[in-house]
Amino acid sequence: MEDWLSDHLQSEFDLEQKIDLAMQTWWMALEGRSFVAPFPPVEKRQNGWRQRLKDSGLELEIGFLNRHVDSGACYEVPSIPPRFFKIKKT
């Protein structure tokens, strides 16, 4: 899995794309998918992780640990367009 993710992150991606790729990796691992070619199409991986979150009732929260502060753990919320991660249980 690490090799697959590392290979796919070699390209220049913005933060939104990196998070999407991490979620595709999460979905493939949960589904027991192989990380050796051939891979499921991108659309299937993207729809897979979104549907998995929706079905489970979970919400995706993204934060980055800032290790350059004097106090305890400090998480920073990245600026990601809401259209990308608006998944909530209805």
Side-chain angles (χ1 to χ4, degrees), residues 15-16 19 61-65 75-82 85:
L15 181 59
E16 183 177 326
I19 293 169
E61 294 184 15
I62 304 291
F64 296 98
L65 179 60
Y75 288 91
E76 297 178 3
V77 178
S79 175
I80 302 173
F85 290 110

Side-chain angles (χ1 to χ4, degrees), residues 1-5 7-8 21-22 24-40 45:
M1 175 174 16
E2 287 179 32
D3 292 339
W4 182 84
L5 188 56
D7 289 346
H8 282 76
L21 190 56
Q24 290 176 42
T25 306
W26 170 76
W27 174 78
M28 287 177 62
L30 287 178
E31 293 289 310
R33 302 289 178 137
S34 172
F35 288 92
V36 179
F39 306 113
R45 296 190 312 254

Side-chain angles (χ1 to χ4, degrees), residues 48-67:
W49 75 255
R50 286 183 172 97
Q51 191 62 48
R52 184 82 175 220
L53 282 179
K54 186 177 178 182
D55 291 348
S56 69
L58 299 174
E59 289 186 33
L60 177 62
E61 294 184 15
I62 304 291
F64 296 98
L65 179 60
N66 183 349
R67 296 182 187 271

